[in-house]
Amino acid sequence: TQLLEQSPQFLSIQEGENLTVYCNSSSVFSSLQWYRQEPGEGPVLLVTVVTGGEVKKLKRLTFQFGDARKDSSLHITAAQPGDTGLYLCAGEKAGNMLTFGGGTRLMVKP
Amino acid sequence: GAVVSQHPSWVICKSGTSVKIECRSLDFQATTMFWYRQFPKQSLMLMATSNEGSKATYEQGVEKDKFLINHASLTLSTLTVTSAHPEDSSFYICSAMTRAYEQYFGPGTRLTVT
């Protein structure tokens, strides 16, 4: 079983729509990171959230860390085809090891 | 900054042979590097933690005699898949940790064992 559950697993939307991806766990993490990965490439770090309740914005992407530091969400406003990819959340625990969620595969159609 | 490279980017080998994959941090020193495996349409699974100058720490279920890890310098870790079999075919990704404890990922190596 995944320590971090991501939902939805797959999402296909039209350009311009909004979407939210969730990352949930029963464990507390010292920090939580969001990555985007394109086929045949390594994950690229989008953001790191550390403080419970923290909200970070990266252009059209808004990341939130739950108050209890067990869950997080990624909201994309006005999605574009260039947002297409695999979005991964990863929780950091002792030893700086990352545990990845199952991923959300996003496709934005023009 | 914080660039991590992997070599080769893809490799095809015959069953029973060994393959070495290199992970380099190009512009920073990394005392700790991590090796992950990713099967198609799945997430990353941590295989082992590689520490410079010491033995690697393997995750449960990962055979240390099959996946040999050597972290010989502060900028290089290698993963050798010994006696590879078709079920070892996967996308292998490394990451290197900066002094600020941020992990940067390499571009991955696609291994196909025939």
Side-chain angles (χ1 to χ4, degrees):
Chain A
T1 56
Q2 286 277 353
L3 192 60
L4 275 169
E5 297 286 343
Q6 271 187 252
S7 61
Q9 291 182 318
F10 303 99
L11 193 54
S12 179
I13 60 173
Q14 292 295 134
E15 181 177 2
E17 293 183 4
N18 302 331
L19 66 115
T20 303
V21 176
Y22 299 94
C23 179
N24 296 303
S25 175
S26 57
S27 299
V28 176
F29 296 101
S30 57
S31 71
L32 197 138
Q33 301 173 12
W34 284 93
Y35 293 84
R36 192 177 95 177
Q37 184 183 24
E38 304 212 20
E41 298 182 11
V44 175
L45 179 66
L46 296 174
V47 78
T48 301
V49 285
V50 179
T51 307
E54 182 177 4
V55 176
K56 280 191 174 180
K57 290 193 174 185
L58 186 66
K59 295 184 181 178
R60 292 177 294 101
L61 278 61
T62 302
F63 305 85
Q64 185 164 7
F65 202 11
D67 291 340
R69 291 187 291 135
K70 294 182 180 181
D71 52 79
S72 182
S73 64
L74 157 61
H75 182 79
I76 301 179
T77 303
Q80 299 176 1
D83 296 328
T84 293
L86 177 66
Y87 289 82
L88 296 160
C89 66
E92 182 178 1
K93 283 197 158 188
N96 306 114
M97 290 193 296
L98 294 177
T99 299
F100 280 85
T104 295
R105 198 166 294 277
L106 172 65
M107 177 174 290
V108 182
K109 301 175 184 176
Chain B
V3 178
V4 177
S5 71
Q6 280 185 241
H7 178 80
S9 55
W10 58 272
V11 57
I12 301 173
C13 71
K14 292 187 176 180
S15 188
T17 61
S18 295
V19 174
K20 180 185 283 188
I21 303 170
E22 293 185 349
C23 177
R24 293 181 186 272
S25 55
L26 298 185
D27 50 2
F28 66 99
Q29 293 183 333
T31 55
T32 303
M33 292 184 176
F34 300 90
W35 286 96
Y36 296 84
R37 183 165 54 183
Q38 186 178 32
F39 291 106
K41 300 190 187 300
Q42 293 187 24
S43 188
L44 280 73
M45 295 297 292
L46 179 65
M47 298 176 66
T49 302
S50 170
N51 296 298
E52 188 266 338
S54 64
K55 291 183 179 180
T57 303
Y58 291 82
E59 294 300 298
Q60 192 172 8
V62 178
E63 300 174 59
K64 61 180 180 180
D65 294 330
K66 181 170 185 59
F67 298 99
L68 301 179
I69 291 172
N70 183 18
H71 196 150
S73 76
L74 288 172
T75 59
L76 173 65
S77 176
T78 61
L79 168 68
T80 301
V81 183
T82 62
S83 187
H85 291 287
E87 57 265 30
D88 298 323
S89 297
S90 188
F91 193 50
Y92 291 88
I93 305 174
C94 72
S95 71
M97 191 165 67
T98 68
R99 293 185 191 277
Y101 303 105
E102 293 177 323
Q103 286 191 40
Y104 289 88
F105 287 81
T109 296
R110 184 161 303 284
L111 170 64
T112 301
V113 184
T114 61

